[in-house]
Amino acid sequence: MTTAGPTGDDLVEMLAALANPLRLRIVARLSDGRDYVSHLAREIGVSRPLLHMHLRKLEAAGLIVGNLELSDDGKAMKFYEVTDFSLHLTASALAEAAKTLTPEKGPGAEEHS
């Protein structure tokens, strides 16, 4: 029985998201438990706008998920947590994922055809 891993496109997006040191630190911090944006920004030492940019990239890759909640005083707070993802990279897993890649479009694509 084989378990299907992420598609090639999903894998590229996940690896691209994790290739950034700050995003890797965000995932590492959230692996300890969920956190809200302002606190997470202070913990990591970045501005909230910069953090939001990185959180969007991680969320788009399916590595984290954000939920808006109301605090006791009625203030809206966005909490993020790590999704239940697992990446086990082997040559055969990469070969299977590569079979599902969307053909490249844009500059340089004609060189690969």
Side-chain angles (χ1 to χ4, degrees), residues 10 14 24 32 41 43 48 56 60 62-63 65 84 90 98 100 107 109-110 112-113:
D10 291 342
M14 292 171 87
L24 194 59
D32 293 336
E43 287 285 308
R48 285 186 299 169
R56 280 193 298 272
L63 300 169
V65 63
D84 186 26
T90 63
T100 65
E110 58 278 354
H112 297 102
S113 39

Side-chain angles (χ1 to χ4, degrees), residues 23-111:
R23 289 192 289 265
L24 194 59
R25 287 178 43 213
I26 293 167
V27 171
R29 173 60 186 80
L30 291 175
S31 71
D32 293 336
R34 69 189 204 121
D35 204 352
Y36 62 98
V37 172
S38 294
H39 185 257
L40 187 57
R42 285 191 304 273
E43 287 285 308
I44 293 178
V46 297
S47 69
R48 285 186 299 169
L50 180 61
L51 179 63
H52 274 289
M53 181 189 73
H54 289 291
L55 290 170
R56 280 193 298 272
K57 180 85 170 172
L58 290 166
E59 195 168 26
L63 300 169
I64 65 171
V65 63
N67 295 300
L68 198 57
E69 298 179 18
L70 290 179
S71 66
D72 293 337
D73 62 356
K75 195 165 73 171
M77 299 171 68
K78 186 115 183 210
F79 282 85
Y80 284 90
E81 60 188 322
V82 175
T83 62
D84 186 26
F85 72 89
S86 175
L87 290 176
H88 183 77
L89 300 178
T90 63
S92 60
L94 293 176
E96 284 302 309
K99 292 176 185 176
T100 65
L101 285 169
T102 302
E104 288 186 42
K105 296 179 181 154
E110 58 278 354
E111 295 172 12

